[in-house]
Amino acid sequence: MARARANRTIVAWGLAIGLATAASSAGVFCVLHAVAGGDWNGVAVWVDAIVTGVMVGSGTKPLRDLINRAQNGPPAA
């Protein structure tokens, strides 16, 4: 039962990322280009669309955890 629940979670996460990536590509909404400015050419648009899709599809918790780790440094062992 636990394995089925874990598999369902992974499939749902993958679908959410796929839909978010497709929507960001179709709407030409790219987070990195929006933050850096329209004339920035640091990464390709398709890479930015994937990054945007992962950010939107994953939700806020993983992104918040990543920001906290970046601010606080690695956890103590």
Side-chain angles (χ1 to χ4, degrees), residues 5 11 14 17 19 35 37 43 45-46 49 53 60 62-63 68 73:
R5 184 173 289 140
V11 169
I17 288 176
L19 289 173
V35 171
V43 296
V45 175
W46 65 271
T60 58
L63 188 60
N68 284 339

Side-chain angles (χ1 to χ4, degrees), residues 7-59:
N7 289 342
R8 186 179 63 200
T9 301
I10 291 172
V11 169
W13 179 69
L15 287 172
I17 288 176
L19 289 173
T21 301
S24 69
S25 295
V28 193
F29 174 71
C30 299
V31 170
L32 299 177
H33 283 88
V35 171
D39 58 344
W40 180 65
N41 293 323
V43 296
V45 175
W46 65 271
V47 173
D48 199 359
I50 291 173
V51 169
T52 303
V54 169
M55 289 174 59
V56 172
S58 294

